[in-house]
Amino acid sequence: AIGGQEPASKTWDNSGLAIRRLPVKMIRFAGLHRRKGTVMSERERPRFELRKFVSFSSFLTFTLLALSGLTMFLRPEGSIARWTGWEIFWLNKKGWEAVHVALSALFVILATTHIVLNRKALWKYLKDRVAGTFRFGREMAGAGALVLAVLITAVFLWWPASGLMSLRSSVKEGKGILDVAPPVLDADMLPLTEIAKIAGVAAPSIVHGLRGLGYQVEGPDDTLEKIAKERGTTPEKLYLLILNGFPGS
Protein backbone atom coordinates (compact mmCIF):
# COMPACT_ATOMS: atom_id res chain seq x y z
CA ALA A 1 0.00 0.00 0.00
CA ILE A 2 1.18 3.61 -0.76
CA GLY A 3 0.30 6.36 1.66
CA GLY A 4 -1.87 3.99 3.71
CA GLN A 5 -4.15 3.27 0.77
CA GLU A 6 -5.05 -0.21 -0.45
CA PRO A 7 -3.71 -1.00 -3.96
CA ALA A 8 -6.37 -1.15 -6.65
CA SER A 9 -6.97 -3.88 -9.18
CA LYS A 10 -9.14 -4.39 -12.21
CA THR A 11 -12.35 -6.42 -12.03
CA TRP A 12 -14.16 -8.14 -14.86
CA ASP A 13 -17.79 -8.79 -15.64
CA ASN A 14 -19.01 -12.21 -16.86
CA SER A 15 -17.81 -11.46 -20.39
CA GLY A 16 -14.27 -10.77 -19.15
CA LEU A 17 -14.33 -6.97 -19.77
CA ALA A 18 -12.69 -4.64 -17.24
CA ILE A 19 -15.36 -2.43 -15.68
CA ARG A 20 -13.71 -0.46 -12.84
CA ARG A 21 -10.92 -0.35 -10.29
CA LEU A 22 -11.54 -1.48 -6.71
CA PRO A 23 -9.29 -2.16 -3.69
CA VAL A 24 -7.88 -5.70 -3.66
CA LYS A 25 -9.54 -6.58 -0.35
CA MET A 26 -12.95 -5.57 -1.67
CA ILE A 27 -12.38 -7.66 -4.81
CA ARG A 28 -11.41 -10.69 -2.75
CA PHE A 29 -14.38 -10.19 -0.45
CA ALA A 30 -16.84 -9.97 -3.34
CA GLY A 31 -15.13 -12.79 -5.27
CA LEU A 32 -14.96 -10.61 -8.38
CA HIS A 33 -11.75 -11.79 -10.00
CA ARG A 34 -11.26 -13.29 -13.40
CA ARG A 35 -11.12 -17.08 -13.69
CA LYS A 36 -12.24 -18.64 -16.94
CA GLY A 37 -15.14 -16.21 -17.32
CA THR A 38 -16.70 -17.02 -13.92
CA VAL A 39 -17.38 -14.73 -11.01
CA MET A 40 -16.36 -17.17 -8.26
CA SER A 41 -13.16 -19.20 -8.29
CA GLU A 42 -13.11 -22.95 -7.81
CA ARG A 43 -11.32 -22.49 -4.48
CA GLU A 44 -14.15 -20.36 -3.11
CA ARG A 45 -16.87 -22.67 -4.39
CA PRO A 46 -17.66 -25.67 -2.11
CA ARG A 47 -16.63 -28.98 -3.62
CA PHE A 48 -19.80 -30.71 -2.43
CA GLU A 49 -22.93 -28.96 -1.21
CA LEU A 50 -24.84 -31.29 1.07
CA ARG A 51 -28.07 -29.29 1.00
CA LYS A 52 -28.26 -29.44 -2.81
CA PHE A 53 -27.43 -33.13 -2.74
CA VAL A 54 -30.22 -33.84 -0.26
CA SER A 55 -32.70 -31.69 -2.22
CA PHE A 56 -31.97 -33.36 -5.58
CA SER A 57 -31.98 -36.83 -3.99
CA SER A 58 -35.31 -36.12 -2.29
CA PHE A 59 -36.86 -34.98 -5.57
CA LEU A 60 -35.64 -38.03 -7.50
CA THR A 61 -36.66 -40.41 -4.72
CA PHE A 62 -40.12 -38.87 -4.45
CA THR A 63 -40.62 -39.16 -8.22
CA LEU A 64 -39.62 -42.83 -8.26
CA LEU A 65 -41.66 -43.45 -5.11
CA ALA A 66 -44.75 -42.09 -6.84
CA LEU A 67 -44.08 -44.38 -9.81
CA SER A 68 -43.62 -47.44 -7.61
CA GLY A 69 -46.74 -46.53 -5.62
CA LEU A 70 -48.79 -46.35 -8.83
CA THR A 71 -47.35 -49.70 -9.92
CA MET A 72 -48.24 -51.25 -6.56
CA PHE A 73 -51.79 -49.96 -7.01
CA LEU A 74 -52.02 -51.59 -10.45
CA ARG A 75 -50.56 -54.95 -9.41
CA PRO A 76 -52.85 -57.97 -9.12
CA GLU A 77 -53.20 -60.11 -6.02
CA GLY A 78 -50.18 -62.30 -5.21
CA SER A 79 -51.43 -65.64 -6.52
CA ILE A 80 -52.86 -63.97 -9.66
CA ALA A 81 -49.53 -62.23 -10.27
CA ARG A 82 -47.68 -65.56 -10.11
CA TRP A 83 -50.35 -67.33 -12.19
CA THR A 84 -50.15 -64.81 -15.04
CA GLY A 85 -46.44 -63.98 -14.71
CA TRP A 86 -47.31 -60.29 -14.14
CA GLU A 87 -44.40 -57.91 -14.72
CA ILE A 88 -43.83 -54.20 -15.40
CA PHE A 89 -40.42 -53.00 -16.60
CA TRP A 90 -39.03 -56.51 -16.08
CA LEU A 91 -39.95 -56.54 -12.38
CA ASN A 92 -42.56 -58.85 -10.86
CA LYS A 93 -44.70 -58.22 -7.79
CA LYS A 94 -41.96 -59.04 -5.28
CA GLY A 95 -39.48 -56.89 -7.18
CA TRP A 96 -41.75 -53.84 -7.12
CA GLU A 97 -42.51 -54.39 -3.43
CA ALA A 98 -38.76 -54.39 -2.70
CA VAL A 99 -38.27 -51.21 -4.76
CA HIS A 100 -41.15 -49.44 -3.01
CA VAL A 101 -39.95 -50.37 0.48
CA ALA A 102 -36.35 -49.35 -0.29
CA LEU A 103 -37.42 -46.00 -1.76
CA SER A 104 -39.73 -45.34 1.19
CA ALA A 105 -36.89 -45.92 3.65
CA LEU A 106 -34.53 -43.70 1.63
CA PHE A 107 -37.11 -40.91 1.43
CA VAL A 108 -37.61 -40.97 5.23
CA ILE A 109 -33.82 -40.69 5.72
CA LEU A 110 -33.53 -37.83 3.21
CA ALA A 111 -36.50 -35.98 4.67
CA THR A 112 -35.05 -36.27 8.18
CA THR A 113 -31.66 -35.04 6.93
CA HIS A 114 -33.36 -32.12 5.15
CA ILE A 115 -35.10 -31.09 8.38
CA VAL A 116 -31.84 -31.30 10.35
CA LEU A 117 -29.87 -29.26 7.81
CA ASN A 118 -32.56 -26.56 7.61
CA ARG A 119 -33.67 -26.65 11.23
CA LYS A 120 -32.76 -22.99 11.88
CA ALA A 121 -34.75 -21.73 8.89
CA LEU A 122 -37.67 -23.98 9.76
CA TRP A 123 -37.62 -22.86 13.38
CA LYS A 124 -37.54 -19.20 12.31
CA TYR A 125 -40.47 -19.79 9.99
CA LEU A 126 -42.47 -21.41 12.79
CA LYS A 127 -41.71 -18.55 15.18
CA ASP A 128 -42.61 -15.97 12.55
CA ARG A 129 -45.81 -17.84 11.76
CA VAL A 130 -46.82 -17.86 15.41
CA ALA A 131 -45.96 -14.18 15.68
CA GLY A 132 -48.13 -13.45 12.66
CA THR A 133 -45.33 -12.25 10.37
CA PHE A 134 -46.62 -14.41 7.53
CA ARG A 135 -50.31 -14.41 6.82
CA PHE A 136 -51.41 -17.51 4.93
CA GLY A 137 -54.75 -17.97 6.67
CA ARG A 138 -56.85 -18.67 3.59
CA GLU A 139 -54.24 -20.87 1.92
CA MET A 140 -53.65 -22.96 5.05
CA ALA A 141 -57.36 -23.29 5.67
CA GLY A 142 -57.90 -24.41 2.07
CA ALA A 143 -55.08 -26.97 2.29
CA GLY A 144 -56.42 -28.32 5.57
CA ALA A 145 -59.94 -28.57 4.14
CA LEU A 146 -58.70 -30.45 1.06
CA VAL A 147 -56.78 -33.03 3.11
CA LEU A 148 -59.66 -33.43 5.54
CA ALA A 149 -62.13 -33.96 2.69
CA VAL A 150 -59.95 -36.69 1.18
CA LEU A 151 -59.64 -38.42 4.56
CA ILE A 152 -63.40 -38.32 5.11
CA THR A 153 -64.17 -39.79 1.67
CA ALA A 154 -61.65 -42.58 2.36
CA VAL A 155 -62.99 -43.39 5.83
CA PHE A 156 -66.65 -43.48 4.75
CA LEU A 157 -65.89 -44.90 1.27
CA TRP A 158 -67.53 -41.99 -0.51
CA TRP A 159 -66.69 -40.97 -4.07
CA PRO A 160 -63.97 -40.60 -5.34
CA ALA A 161 -62.36 -42.92 -2.78
CA SER A 162 -65.04 -45.55 -3.42
CA GLY A 163 -64.29 -45.46 -7.16
CA LEU A 164 -60.57 -45.91 -6.53
CA MET A 165 -61.21 -48.86 -4.22
CA SER A 166 -63.52 -50.44 -6.78
CA LEU A 167 -60.83 -50.08 -9.43
CA ARG A 168 -58.26 -51.56 -7.05
CA SER A 169 -60.50 -54.56 -6.39
CA SER A 170 -60.89 -55.21 -10.12
CA VAL A 171 -57.14 -55.00 -10.67
CA LYS A 172 -56.46 -57.21 -7.66
CA GLU A 173 -58.74 -59.91 -9.05
CA GLY A 174 -56.86 -59.86 -12.35
CA LYS A 175 -59.65 -58.52 -14.54
CA GLY A 176 -58.34 -57.72 -17.99
CA ILE A 177 -55.22 -59.87 -17.73
CA LEU A 178 -56.62 -63.35 -17.08
CA ASP A 179 -57.27 -65.81 -19.92
CA VAL A 180 -58.31 -68.49 -17.45
CA ALA A 181 -58.68 -68.09 -13.71
CA PRO A 182 -56.74 -70.41 -11.41
CA PRO A 183 -59.00 -73.31 -10.40
CA VAL A 184 -58.04 -72.97 -6.73
CA LEU A 185 -55.98 -70.59 -4.64
CA ASP A 186 -52.23 -70.97 -5.27
CA ALA A 187 -52.86 -73.49 -8.05
CA ASP A 188 -49.44 -72.71 -9.48
CA MET A 189 -47.82 -74.28 -6.41
CA LEU A 190 -49.77 -77.55 -6.61
CA PRO A 191 -48.11 -80.71 -7.99
CA LEU A 192 -49.33 -82.14 -11.27
CA THR A 193 -51.09 -84.94 -9.38
CA GLU A 194 -53.44 -82.37 -7.81
CA ILE A 195 -53.83 -80.45 -11.05
CA ALA A 196 -54.80 -83.72 -12.76
CA LYS A 197 -57.62 -84.28 -10.25
CA ILE A 198 -58.93 -80.74 -10.76
CA ALA A 199 -58.73 -80.89 -14.57
CA GLY A 200 -60.07 -84.46 -14.78
CA VAL A 201 -56.96 -85.69 -16.62
CA ALA A 202 -54.61 -88.51 -15.62
CA ALA A 203 -51.32 -87.28 -14.20
CA PRO A 204 -49.19 -89.48 -16.54
CA SER A 205 -51.04 -87.97 -19.51
CA ILE A 206 -50.13 -84.45 -18.34
CA VAL A 207 -46.48 -85.43 -17.93
CA HIS A 208 -46.42 -87.07 -21.37
CA GLY A 209 -48.23 -84.17 -23.04
CA LEU A 210 -45.93 -81.50 -21.59
CA ARG A 211 -42.84 -83.50 -22.50
CA GLY A 212 -44.18 -83.85 -26.04
CA LEU A 213 -44.23 -80.04 -26.28
CA GLY A 214 -40.64 -79.77 -25.12
CA TYR A 215 -41.20 -78.98 -21.46
CA GLN A 216 -38.82 -80.44 -18.90
CA VAL A 217 -40.93 -82.46 -16.48
CA GLU A 218 -39.22 -84.74 -14.00
CA GLY A 219 -42.43 -86.34 -12.82
CA PRO A 220 -45.98 -85.83 -11.52
CA ASP A 221 -44.68 -84.14 -8.37
CA ASP A 222 -43.48 -81.11 -10.33
CA THR A 223 -45.52 -77.94 -9.94
CA LEU A 224 -46.80 -75.68 -12.68
CA GLU A 225 -44.67 -72.87 -11.28
CA LYS A 226 -41.46 -74.93 -11.52
CA ILE A 227 -42.15 -76.13 -15.05
CA ALA A 228 -43.14 -72.64 -16.22
CA LYS A 229 -39.98 -71.00 -14.82
CA GLU A 230 -37.71 -73.47 -16.57
CA ARG A 231 -39.41 -72.74 -19.91
CA GLY A 232 -39.92 -68.99 -19.41
CA THR A 233 -43.70 -69.17 -19.59
CA THR A 234 -46.56 -68.87 -17.06
CA PRO A 235 -48.58 -71.40 -15.04
CA GLU A 236 -51.70 -70.02 -16.71
CA LYS A 237 -50.48 -71.03 -20.18
CA LEU A 238 -49.55 -74.50 -18.96
CA TYR A 239 -53.00 -74.97 -17.47
CA LEU A 240 -54.59 -73.88 -20.75
CA LEU A 241 -52.52 -76.54 -22.53
CA ILE A 242 -53.80 -79.16 -20.10
CA LEU A 243 -57.42 -78.09 -20.54
CA ASN A 244 -57.10 -78.04 -24.36
CA GLY A 245 -55.51 -81.47 -24.57
CA PHE A 246 -51.96 -80.34 -25.49
CA PRO A 247 -52.54 -79.10 -29.05
CA GLY A 248 -49.48 -79.55 -31.23
CA SER A 249 -47.96 -82.30 -29.14
Side-chain angles (χ1 to χ4, degrees):
I2 300 176
Q5 295 183 355
E6 183 71 13
S9 176
K10 289 183 179 181
T11 61
W12 285 264
D13 61 9
N14 289 337
S15 63
L17 297 175
I19 54 176
R20 58 188 297 185
R21 291 180 176 271
L22 292 172
V24 173
K25 286 185 178 180
M26 185 178 296
I27 294 172
R28 289 176 179 173
F29 176 78
L32 298 173
H33 53 285
R34 186 177 186 183
R35 186 178 176 86
K36 295 182 180 180
T38 60
V39 175
M40 183 180 292
S41 71
E42 295 299 330
R43 290 182 179 179
E44 294 170 335
R45 183 174 299 167
R47 291 184 178 181
F48 188 86
E49 297 186 46
L50 184 58
R51 281 187 173 86
K52 288 185 178 180
F53 169 77
V54 172
S55 297
F56 290 146
S57 299
S58 299
F59 173 75
L60 292 174
T61 303
F62 177 79
T63 302
L64 294 175
L65 193 60
L67 175 63
S68 64
L70 177 62
T71 305
M72 294 293 289
F73 177 82
L74 296 175
R75 82 189 191 284
E77 189 268 333
S79 60
I80 300 295
R82 296 194 312 270
W83 181 255
T84 59
W86 179 87
E87 288 183 351
I88 292 183
F89 298 133
W90 305 284
L91 286 178
N92 58 16
K93 176 179 175 290
K94 288 185 177 180
W96 277 107
E97 287 176 348
V99 168
H100 191 70
V101 170
L103 289 175
S104 298
L106 177 60
F107 187 75
V108 170
I109 294 173
L110 291 172
T112 303
T113 305
H114 178 77
I115 292 173
V116 172
L117 291 175
N118 297 278
R119 59 188 181 279
K120 292 183 179 179
L122 291 172
W123 178 244
K124 182 180 182 302
Y125 169 78
L126 290 176
K127 289 194 299 183
D128 291 342
R129 183 69 190 95
V130 172
T133 303
F134 297 119
R135 301 185 181 279
F136 297 133
R138 294 179 180 178
E139 292 79 2
M140 293 188 67
L146 174 62
V147 174
L148 181 61
V150 172
L151 288 175
I152 291 176
T153 59
V155 170
F156 293 99
L157 288 179
W158 294 341
W159 192 90
S162 59
L164 289 174
M165 293 305 298
S166 177
L167 176 61
R168 174 64 191 133
S169 297
S170 299
V171 172
K172 186 177 180 180
E173 295 170 1
K175 292 183 178 179
I177 64 173
L178 278 173
D179 292 325
V180 57
V184 293
L185 184 65
D186 296 329
D188 56 302
M189 305 178 71
L190 295 178
L192 294 180
T193 51
E194 296 298 323
I195 296 296
K197 294 177 182 178
I198 296 172
V201 182
S205 299
I206 295 178
V207 173
H208 178 74
L210 290 176
R211 286 175 177 172
L213 293 174
Y215 291 92
Q216 296 180 356
V217 184
E218 295 180 2
D221 291 330
D222 283 359
T223 64
L224 292 178
E225 181 183 35
K226 176 179 178 293
I227 300 170
K229 280 185 177 180
E230 292 177 350
R231 185 63 179 272
T233 185
T234 66
E236 180 188 38
K237 292 181 179 179
L238 294 181
Y239 189 64
L240 279 172
L241 290 175
I242 295 172
L243 293 180
N244 295 329
F246 307 101
S249 60

PDB file of all heavy atoms in Angstrom, residues 8 40 49 90 138 157 174 211 249:
ATOM      1  N   ALA A   8      -5.169  -0.851  -5.873  1.00  0.00           N
ATOM      2  CA  ALA A   8      -6.374  -1.147  -6.647  1.00  0.00           C
ATOM      3  C   ALA A   8      -6.074  -2.209  -7.686  1.00  0.00           C
ATOM      4  O   ALA A   8      -4.933  -2.438  -8.059  1.00  0.00           O
ATOM      5  CB  ALA A   8      -6.883   0.125  -7.325  1.00  0.00           C
ATOM      6  N   MET A  40     -16.932 -16.555  -9.451  1.00  0.00           N
ATOM      7  CA  MET A  40     -16.362 -17.168  -8.258  1.00  0.00           C
ATOM      8  C   MET A  40     -15.330 -18.206  -8.667  1.00  0.00           C
ATOM      9  O   MET A  40     -15.551 -18.983  -9.588  1.00  0.00           O
ATOM     10  CB  MET A  40     -17.462 -17.844  -7.431  1.00  0.00           C
ATOM     11  CG  MET A  40     -16.952 -18.454  -6.127  1.00  0.00           C
ATOM     12  SD  MET A  40     -18.284 -19.239  -5.190  1.00  0.00           S
ATOM     13  CE  MET A  40     -19.219 -17.802  -4.736  1.00  0.00           C
ATOM     14  N   GLU A  49     -21.922 -29.643  -2.013  1.00  0.00           N
ATOM     15  CA  GLU A  49     -22.930 -28.958  -1.210  1.00  0.00           C
ATOM     16  C   GLU A  49     -23.982 -29.965  -0.759  1.00  0.00           C
ATOM     17  O   GLU A  49     -24.773 -30.457  -1.560  1.00  0.00           O
ATOM     18  CB  GLU A  49     -23.571 -27.831  -2.020  1.00  0.00           C
ATOM     19  CG  GLU A  49     -22.568 -26.748  -2.407  1.00  0.00           C
ATOM     20  CD  GLU A  49     -23.228 -25.563  -3.085  1.00  0.00           C
ATOM     21  OE1 GLU A  49     -24.272 -25.095  -2.567  1.00  0.00           O
ATOM     22  OE2 GLU A  49     -22.730 -25.122  -4.128  1.00  0.00           O
ATOM     23  N   TRP A  90     -39.834 -55.321 -16.413  1.00  0.00           N
ATOM     24  CA  TRP A  90     -39.034 -56.506 -16.080  1.00  0.00           C
ATOM     25  C   TRP A  90     -38.984 -56.820 -14.586  1.00  0.00           C
ATOM     26  O   TRP A  90     -38.126 -57.571 -14.127  1.00  0.00           O
ATOM     27  CB  TRP A  90     -37.604 -56.354 -16.617  1.00  0.00           C
ATOM     28  CG  TRP A  90     -37.575 -56.081 -18.083  1.00  0.00           C
ATOM     29  CD1 TRP A  90     -37.781 -56.982 -19.098  1.00  0.00           C
ATOM     30  CD2 TRP A  90     -37.364 -54.821 -18.718  1.00  0.00           C
ATOM     31  NE1 TRP A  90     -37.716 -56.366 -20.310  1.00  0.00           N
ATOM     32  CE2 TRP A  90     -37.456 -55.027 -20.117  1.00  0.00           C
ATOM     33  CE3 TRP A  90     -37.099 -53.539 -18.245  1.00  0.00           C
ATOM     34  CZ2 TRP A  90     -37.285 -54.002 -21.033  1.00  0.00           C
ATOM     35  CZ3 TRP A  90     -36.935 -52.513 -19.160  1.00  0.00           C
ATOM     36  CH2 TRP A  90     -37.034 -52.751 -20.533  1.00  0.00           C
ATOM     37  N   ARG A 138     -55.957 -18.058   4.564  1.00  0.00           N
ATOM     38  CA  ARG A 138     -56.855 -18.666   3.588  1.00  0.00           C
ATOM     39  C   ARG A 138     -56.222 -19.883   2.939  1.00  0.00           C
ATOM     40  O   ARG A 138     -56.876 -20.912   2.750  1.00  0.00           O
ATOM     41  CB  ARG A 138     -57.233 -17.647   2.521  1.00  0.00           C
ATOM     42  CG  ARG A 138     -58.076 -16.483   3.042  1.00  0.00           C
ATOM     43  CD  ARG A 138     -58.396 -15.505   1.930  1.00  0.00           C
ATOM     44  NE  ARG A 138     -59.193 -14.388   2.417  1.00  0.00           N
ATOM     45  CZ  ARG A 138     -59.586 -13.369   1.659  1.00  0.00           C
ATOM     46  NH1 ARG A 138     -59.234 -13.335   0.373  1.00  0.00           N
ATOM     47  NH2 ARG A 138     -60.308 -12.391   2.180  1.00  0.00           N
ATOM     48  N   LEU A 157     -65.796 -44.302   2.605  1.00  0.00           N
ATOM     49  CA  LEU A 157     -65.885 -44.897   1.271  1.00  0.00           C
ATOM     50  C   LEU A 157     -66.865 -44.143   0.378  1.00  0.00           C
ATOM     51  O   LEU A 157     -67.702 -44.734  -0.313  1.00  0.00           O
ATOM     52  CB  LEU A 157     -66.266 -46.380   1.358  1.00  0.00           C
ATOM     53  CG  LEU A 157     -65.181 -47.316   1.881  1.00  0.00           C
ATOM     54  CD1 LEU A 157     -65.701 -48.748   1.936  1.00  0.00           C
ATOM     55  CD2 LEU A 157     -63.928 -47.221   1.020  1.00  0.00           C
ATOM     56  N   GLY A 174     -57.446 -59.491 -11.066  1.00  0.00           N
ATOM     57  CA  GLY A 174     -56.858 -59.863 -12.347  1.00  0.00           C
ATOM     58  C   GLY A 174     -57.751 -59.619 -13.544  1.00  0.00           C
ATOM     59  O   GLY A 174     -57.499 -60.193 -14.618  1.00  0.00           O
ATOM     60  N   ARG A 211     -44.128 -83.082 -21.938  1.00  0.00           N
ATOM     61  CA  ARG A 211     -42.839 -83.504 -22.504  1.00  0.00           C
ATOM     62  C   ARG A 211     -42.891 -83.491 -24.030  1.00  0.00           C
ATOM     63  O   ARG A 211     -41.903 -83.154 -24.687  1.00  0.00           O
ATOM     64  CB  ARG A 211     -42.469 -84.891 -21.989  1.00  0.00           C
ATOM     65  CG  ARG A 211     -41.996 -84.913 -20.530  1.00  0.00           C
ATOM     66  CD  ARG A 211     -41.767 -86.323 -20.052  1.00  0.00           C
ATOM     67  NE  ARG A 211     -41.246 -86.345 -18.687  1.00  0.00           N
ATOM     68  CZ  ARG A 211     -41.102 -87.467 -17.976  1.00  0.00           C
ATOM     69  NH1 ARG A 211     -41.434 -88.649 -18.509  1.00  0.00           N
ATOM     70  NH2 ARG A 211     -40.614 -87.416 -16.753  1.00  0.00           N
ATOM     71  N   SER A 249     -48.897 -81.341 -29.719  1.00  0.00           N
ATOM     72  CA  SER A 249     -47.961 -82.300 -29.140  1.00  0.00           C
ATOM     73  C   SER A 249     -47.917 -83.559 -30.008  1.00  0.00           C
ATOM     74  O   SER A 249     -48.799 -83.820 -30.806  1.00  0.00           O
ATOM     75  CB  SER A 249     -48.376 -82.683 -27.730  1.00  0.00           C
ATOM     76  OG  SER A 249     -49.671 -83.270 -27.708  1.00  0.00           O
TER      77      SER A 249
END
